Amino acid sequence: MIFLVFTALAISGCTNNATVQPSTLKVASQLYSLGGIHWYEYSGSGATDNVTITTRTRFEFGDEIYKGLPTVHVRVIANTSVLLNETIFFVNADDNSLDTSLALPPMNASDIVDTYTCKVNDSLLGAHVRSEVFGHVVDHDAPDSELENISRNASELMDQWKSNAQLTYLGQETIVVNGVTYDCDKYSYIINDIPYVVWNTARAPLPVKITYTVKIKVPDNTSMDFTILLQGWG
């Protein structure tokens, strides 16, 4: 099971400017200037009454010859922790009294997925997957039967980079991320029926903060608000 979840840590020190000024950015892809970098990393968190999820996801990308063809090699390194906010109670069978209780430990997963996309026709030529969930490790070159699903996941992850989704300018806001103060332009847009809000600054090649809402199947198929923060790039 591959956990490619985007999330983030808490943010502090926000102030809001009431005056909304016109913006020159029109579509979501303009928020991403990746030409001069080879990696970036986000971390984050989201929570409901029943579950807390934290992740750290790093993207690495560059040109590479694969099977004799020029490709874009993308590596996604994702670490995910899922904590169910549940407690197991043990009852004394003799008198039905509470004997002890045990909080469930976090469920951790780590994934490294390498994809090789042909620069000529954008087809996925191959992929390698290493996934560890609950101590069980899967490490293999993906067979052709898995490539379509991996390609779909990769496309969803890169939708932000290429999307022509229309931006709505929400104004300016000063935020603090990892102790650094950023004066940001704030936008909203929708991709695949998911509404996003982003904080963008000329000091970073991609948004320093993104919020969105996702459906969490475990344990109760509820909605969870996610916030992700940019941890670095280079």
Side-chain angles (χ1 to χ4, degrees):
M1 183 177 183
I2 300 173
F3 290 81
L4 296 181
V5 184
F6 290 82
T7 52
L9 301 173
I11 194 163
S12 61
C14 295
T15 59
N16 188 32
N17 296 328
T19 303
V20 177
Q21 301 293 337
S23 169
T24 58
L25 301 185
K26 302 301 181 184
V27 296
S29 60
Q30 292 178 301
L31 299 167
Y32 295 83
S33 302
L34 305 181
I37 66 173
H38 298 285
W39 67 271
Y40 65 86
E41 189 167 327
Y42 280 103
S43 67
S45 64
T48 69
D49 291 340
N50 297 315
V51 62
T52 299
I53 297 178
T54 59
T55 69
R56 194 168 187 107
T57 307
R58 178 184 173 99
F59 294 83
E60 301 174 353
F61 41 91
D63 295 338
E64 187 169 324
I65 299 298
Y66 180 79
K67 295 182 177 179
L69 295 173
T71 68
V72 176
H73 175 198
V74 177
R75 169 172 286 185
V76 180
I77 305 170
N79 293 285
T80 304
S81 178
V82 179
L83 177 63
L84 297 179
N85 303 324
E86 303 284 349
T87 301
I88 299 175
F89 295 95
F90 298 90
V91 176
N92 190 314
D94 294 330
D95 57 8
N96 291 325
S97 63
L98 180 65
D99 188 20
T100 186
S101 62
L102 175 66
L104 294 175
M107 297 175 286
N108 300 316
S110 63
D111 303 276
I112 302 175
V113 180
D114 291 279
T115 59
Y116 301 87
T117 302
C118 181
K119 298 180 71 174
V120 177
N121 57 16
D122 282 336
S123 63
L124 183 61
L125 298 181
H128 185 90
V129 176
R130 187 190 189 283
S131 180
E132 181 173 352
V133 183
F134 309 132
H136 177 68
V137 177
V138 174
D139 191 345
H140 68 288
D141 289 327
D144 290 344
S145 59
E146 292 183 17
L147 290 183
E148 182 178 352
N149 186 53
I150 292 174
S151 179
R152 187 184 308 112
N153 288 335
S155 295
E156 291 175 358
L157 293 173
M158 292 185 287
D159 275 346
Q160 314 290 325
W161 303 353
K162 301 179 181 180
S163 174
N164 289 321
Q166 296 298 303
L167 298 175
T168 298
Y169 185 58
L170 303 178
Q172 296 177 322
E173 190 170 312
T174 299
I175 63 175
V176 178
V177 179
N178 295 332
V180 180
T181 300
Y182 295 98
D183 295 323
C184 296
D185 289 320
K186 186 177 177 181
Y187 302 89
S188 65
Y189 59 92
I190 297 175
I191 295 179
N192 297 330
D193 297 322
I194 298 176
Y196 293 84
V197 177
V198 301
W199 285 254
N200 190 64
T201 172
R203 295 170 58 192
L206 58 168
V208 293
K209 178 182 176 182
I210 304 172
T211 63
Y212 59 101
T213 301
V214 295
K215 279 284 188 180
I216 301 299
K217 295 182 179 180
V218 178
D220 54 3
N221 198 34
T222 189
S223 295
M224 176 182 288
D225 293 330
F226 265 86
T227 304
I228 68 174
L229 300 182
L230 183 64
Q231 297 299 311
W233 67 88

